[in-house]
Amino acid sequence: MSTSRRGFLKGILGTGAAATALPGCAPDINPAPVTDVSASDAGTVDLLVSRYPDLERVGGALTVRVAGEDTPLLVTHSAQNDFSVLSSICTHAACPLGFDGRDVVCPCHLSKFNPVDGSVTQRPATVGLRKFSSRYNAGTQVLSIDLRAGEEGFPSAVNGEVRLPFAQFPTLKDNGSVVDGVPTGYGKRIFVFRLGDGSLSAVDSLCTHEACEVSSRPAEQDLICYCHNSIFTAKGDVTQGPAVLPLKKFTVTETTDAVVVSGVQ
Ligand code: FES
Ligand code: FES
């Protein structure tokens, strides 16, 4: 990534002034304009769509930075009353994303993503974008984004605790295994490893460099961030930069019938 591009991304991730028109990066696509908002205590962001002309029109999009959250959101308006919410950071090299009315497009090297599910539709990116749960009320024109929604079938975080029963996750008994998922109530992916020596480790998925989501490499028993190729051990420690800080680490204990991850909040 060029110095100017990196500086631009830091602007997206930082806490600058709200509602900024962003400079163009490629002939036909710009990163979506930025606005700053706050979430409720329950982790919900409500956007009154009519207040944002860039989002109100079909084919429009907005980058939404939420106070206290590391990942900026790309909200797209694909069709009448049809919105979706994805991470606004390209998984190739962490550039801020735009929307051409049909695809989510990265101005840096022209990767494309499906605006509905975040899957890659054009390389060089190979990893899809994180999707956020949202609901649009056409009567009130309010788009509600749930930052704490989880993956169906994965256990929820209750009082900061995620319980993974062996009956549901039998591989967690096997040395050298890894399980991942997004607990409702937390809203971010977590990884749980049974290491080669039989011990357990659980870490968060948010890269400490520039907030991309890391992926596990089961064969290597580690985690890689494809945005700039930082690598972390299964215990979250950095083995290759540019990241310098470890991943957030959770406490893991084991009962006769489950692995219990604590501090998931
Ligand atoms: S940073 Fe997005 S395609 Fe390269
Ligand atoms: S965001 Fe740069 S290495 Fe992860």
Side-chain angles (χ1 to χ4, degrees):
M1 183 188 297
S2 70
T3 304
S4 58
R5 174 71 62 194
R6 192 180 300 279
F8 172 68
L9 176 60
K10 288 190 186 306
I12 284 257
L13 294 171
T15 55
T20 311
L22 299 176
C25 299
D28 298 315
I29 187 74
N30 291 327
V34 177
T35 195
D36 291 306
V37 301
S38 297
S40 70
D41 289 346
T44 302
V45 173
D46 287 335
L47 294 179
L48 180 59
V49 170
S50 59
R51 287 184 55 185
Y52 303 98
D54 291 303
L55 184 60
E56 187 177 26
R57 64 181 175 83
V58 172
L62 197 62
T63 302
V64 177
R65 297 188 300 204
V66 184
E69 297 287 330
D70 294 297
T71 305
L73 312 173
L74 179 72
V75 183
T76 59
H77 189 177
S78 303
Q80 191 69 32
N81 297 339
D82 193 358
F83 297 85
S84 63
V85 185
L86 303 166
S87 163
S88 76
I89 304 173
C90 180
T91 55
H92 176 231
C95 286
L97 296 167
F99 183 53
D100 67 3
R102 195 181 68 174
D103 298 300
V104 171
V105 184
C106 179
C108 289
H109 316 103
L110 299 180
S111 285
K112 291 185 179 179
F113 303 87
N114 182 317
V116 176
D117 62 11
S119 59
V120 177
T121 56
Q122 179 170 293
R123 291 179 172 231
T126 57
V127 176
L129 301 171
R130 181 179 161 202
K131 181 175 171 61
F132 293 82
S133 174
S134 65
R135 184 169 34 85
Y136 181 63
N137 184 323
T140 61
Q141 296 191 320
V142 171
L143 177 70
S144 296
I145 304 167
D146 184 356
L147 300 175
R148 304 283 176 266
E151 276 179 353
E152 202 172 326
F154 197 78
S156 298
V158 179
N159 296 325
E161 205 169 88
V162 179
R163 193 171 177 283
L164 303 166
F166 290 125
Q168 186 181 352
F169 300 97
T171 58
L172 274 180
K173 287 185 172 176
D174 303 333
N175 291 1
S177 63
V178 57
V179 161
D180 70 274
V182 182
T184 295
Y186 185 57
K188 293 189 280 283
R189 184 169 304 280
I190 66 170
F191 294 91
V192 183
F193 289 88
R194 172 77 73 178
L195 302 175
D197 63 2
S199 64
L200 290 159
S201 168
V203 295
D204 191 45
S205 59
L206 203 67
C207 179
T208 53
H209 178 228
E210 286 183 352
C212 288
E213 187 177 82
V214 300
S215 303
S216 69
R217 299 193 299 181
E220 288 86 353
Q221 278 272 283
D222 67 8
L223 298 143
I224 185 167
C225 177
Y226 288 107
C227 283
H228 310 102
N229 293 319
S230 286
I231 297 176
F232 303 85
T233 68
K235 293 183 176 179
D237 297 316
V238 178
T239 56
Q240 176 175 296
V244 293
L245 296 174
L247 299 174
K248 180 177 178 178
K249 304 177 184 186
F250 303 112
T251 301
V252 201
T253 54
E254 187 173 5
T255 66
T256 52
D257 62 352
V259 168
V260 181
V261 184
S262 306
V264 188
Q265 52 198 1

